[in-house]
Amino acid sequence: MATIDFPAWYSAGVFGGIACALLSAIAIATWALWRRRGVTGEVIAALLVCVVASALDIGPLLWFIYRLNVFGPTLGAGEVGAALALEALVGWVAPLAAICWYSLLATPAAQVALAAQAAQRPPRQGAVSPAALDDPARARAALADGQPWGLLTPLDAAADASSARPIALIHALTLIGREQDNDIVLDDDDRVSRRHAELRWERGRVEFADYGSLNGTRINQQAVRGRLPLRDGDVIELGGRRYRLTLRADGAAGVGAASGPANAAEPADAAMETRKTASASGAFSLGAPALQMTLIQGASGAGQPTTWPLAAPVVTIGRDSTCGIALADPSISRQHAQITRQPVGYFIADLQSSNGVAVNGARLSAPTQIFAGDVVSLGDVLLRCEQVPETQPAETQAEAATAKRPVPGSTSSPASQPAEAPSFHLRISPQWRASQSSRPRLAPPRLAPTTRADEDARD
């Protein structure tokens, strides 16, 4: 049997190490593409180890050519041992360690897909910054008696009985998310974010805030952004979970701890403290009449409505059929804009649409209040904001018809009838309205009511 001398054995190890490094890089790239494992940083780090190892293999190769082939047996044992150790480390150990590490410890494919989706999706407009985990409101009871101010009742029956129990809301701040440090932990890795949203109670007013979650939140089947006041009976959808909010009220059976002898002894101030205040879904003041949106250009079709009253607390405008104002126009995004009803009036915001939103020709960069007469532009569609006409009572209509109907047998001529007061129409140019839309609108000062005695004295 022929023996293999040391130079031939060493040269085979050098070229084999170079081939091992290159093949390891190819195997890592194939594994990353086929199995979708590892994020970008992990793939680059593993490939870089293999490439650097193959480059460092040039050192042992040069030692073989210029030292071992020339001097041969005259070389010392220490120099030969160092060359062997370097070749084994850079040619074999480093590439094989890189491929083993990547195969066993790289990020799974599911987490890679979620990270890629989060990186590609732009941040939601109006997202609220998450509250601090050490916020004192998380440990402070909202009510003086320590009783819950509301309940979250699951609407979808879960497999385990613990998930179907109502959740009592006691503290002034309640954090909702997938992480274990939240107050309400929702085990839904695919649709609930780590820090998803919050429920905040303050002086009888309940607000929901979305933290810019990946899949968002829906309240009463309407997508919400930022903060939104809540009312009793609202349905909150977080990922695949649906809850009905029940607020505490005197004598209400919805919250078991809210009714009882203890509540009967509460002072009047405490009762007013926990009473629901006017919110976006409550009654308007005299300075904020009910409005409606009327289609004046685009998205016209048979059977489609042309007027939409803004009766809901949140109305979404978009191409999706589930929107409150559905506009079947290609220039409209699926969820284009959102109108929120507040105590002071209506506010419109752009939901990161492709063509944007403009009010009286001014492009929106933040939520803006709208008034009767404003023209809202969404892509190729124009909507006019109008005040909802007040319905005249039947008795008043009958009296008006009787007053206008001529009396039988009367000799009065049309000339003897009092002439109707002339009507005047004021036409406002679009340029003036656009210039006024950028200015802050202030309500006129409220005049003191006059009495009958004051009018007599003035006469």
Side-chain angles (χ1 to χ4, degrees):
M1 183 176 179
T3 58
I4 301 177
D5 56 353
F6 179 76
W9 178 79
Y10 184 81
S11 63
V14 171
F15 290 107
I18 296 176
C20 178
L22 296 178
L23 290 176
S24 298
I26 295 174
I28 291 173
T30 304
W31 185 258
L33 295 176
W34 178 46
R35 301 293 296 178
R36 300 291 182 184
R37 289 183 64 91
V39 295
T40 304
E42 295 174 345
V43 176
I44 293 177
L47 293 177
L48 190 61
V49 170
C50 297
V51 172
V52 171
S54 63
L56 292 179
D57 250 341
I58 298 177
L61 180 60
L62 295 177
W63 181 86
F64 169 75
I65 296 174
Y66 295 104
R67 295 289 295 176
L68 185 61
N69 288 341
V70 175
F71 298 100
T74 61
L75 295 175
E79 183 179 353
V80 175
L84 289 174
L86 180 61
E87 165 57 27
L89 178 62
V90 301
W92 297 91
V93 176
L96 294 178
I99 193 173
C100 291
W101 168 81
Y102 189 83
S103 301
L104 299 176
L105 302 179
T107 305
Q111 297 183 14
V112 173
L114 291 176
Q117 184 179 3
Q120 294 175 1
R121 184 162 183 169
R124 295 181 179 271
Q125 182 180 3
V128 179
S129 300
L133 295 177
D134 57 350
D135 194 318
R138 296 185 62 188
R140 185 178 71 249
L143 304 181
D145 54 3
Q147 299 296 331
W149 54 264
L151 287 179
L152 282 180
T153 305
L155 299 181
D156 299 325
D160 53 341
S162 60
S163 301
R165 298 175 182 172
I167 303 174
L169 303 174
I170 299 176
H171 301 96
L173 175 62
T174 304
L175 301 183
I176 306 173
R178 194 176 71 243
E179 289 291 342
Q180 296 297 324
D181 53 5
N182 291 285
D183 300 308
I184 300 178
V185 180
L186 301 180
D187 188 11
D188 192 343
D189 296 341
D190 297 333
R191 290 170 290 186
V192 177
S193 301
R194 291 184 175 87
R195 303 288 302 280
H196 198 101
E198 73 172 32
L199 278 170
R200 187 179 293 270
W201 186 98
E202 185 175 359
R203 295 185 176 273
R205 183 183 179 90
V206 181
E207 286 187 347
F208 180 91
D210 187 275
Y211 287 160
S213 56
L214 185 62
N215 294 306
T217 307
R218 299 173 69 88
I219 296 180
N220 299 329
Q221 298 183 355
Q222 295 289 335
V224 298
R225 305 288 186 269
R227 293 191 179 276
L228 182 69
L230 297 181
R231 60 178 180 177
D232 185 39
D234 284 346
V235 177
I236 305 174
E237 299 182 33
L238 302 142
R241 309 291 182 87
R242 297 171 64 247
Y243 299 90
R244 183 181 301 279
L245 176 65
T246 304
L247 298 181
R248 171 174 175 170
D250 293 340
V255 181
S259 59
N263 291 338
E266 290 182 355
D269 294 343
M272 293 299 295
E273 181 74 13
T274 60
R275 188 172 301 161
K276 179 70 175 177
T277 58
S279 63
S281 58
F284 274 126
S285 63
L286 295 178
L291 300 180
Q292 64 183 11
M293 302 301 291
T294 302
L295 178 68
I296 60 177
Q297 176 181 324
S300 60
Q304 292 186 355
T306 58
T307 301
W308 298 268
L310 304 178
V314 178
V315 178
T316 304
I317 307 175
R319 197 173 69 250
D320 197 330
S321 59
T322 60
C323 294
I325 301 179
L327 302 174
D329 192 281
S331 64
I332 302 296
S333 302
R334 295 187 181 276
Q335 290 188 353
H336 200 106
Q338 188 177 88
I339 299 178
T340 306
R341 184 179 181 182
Q342 299 290 345
V344 296
Y346 294 84
F347 291 81
I348 186 171
D350 187 6
L351 298 182
Q352 296 289 341
S353 59
S354 300
N355 296 315
V357 181
V359 177
N360 299 326
R363 187 72 174 262
L364 293 188
S365 58
T368 303
Q369 189 173 4
I370 56 177
F371 301 86
D374 289 344
V375 176
V376 180
S377 174
L378 307 99
D380 297 334
V381 178
L382 295 181
L383 300 175
R384 181 171 58 244
C385 185
E386 299 177 348
Q387 183 174 347
V388 176
E390 297 181 359
T391 58
Q392 191 175 16
E395 296 80 359
T396 306
Q397 295 180 359
E399 293 176 1
T402 305
K404 292 182 179 181
R405 187 182 303 115
V407 179
S410 175
T411 59
S412 60
S413 62
S416 63
Q417 299 292 335
E420 295 183 357
S423 60
F424 299 92
H425 300 277
L426 180 61
R427 186 181 183 89
I428 301 176
S429 63
Q431 293 81 2
W432 182 87
R433 186 181 293 277
S435 63
Q436 293 297 320
S437 62
S438 60
R439 301 180 181 178
R441 306 187 182 187
L442 303 178
R446 187 182 300 273
L447 300 178
T450 58
T451 62
R452 184 65 180 176
D454 295 338
E455 294 180 357
D456 297 340
R458 189 181 301 109
D459 295 339

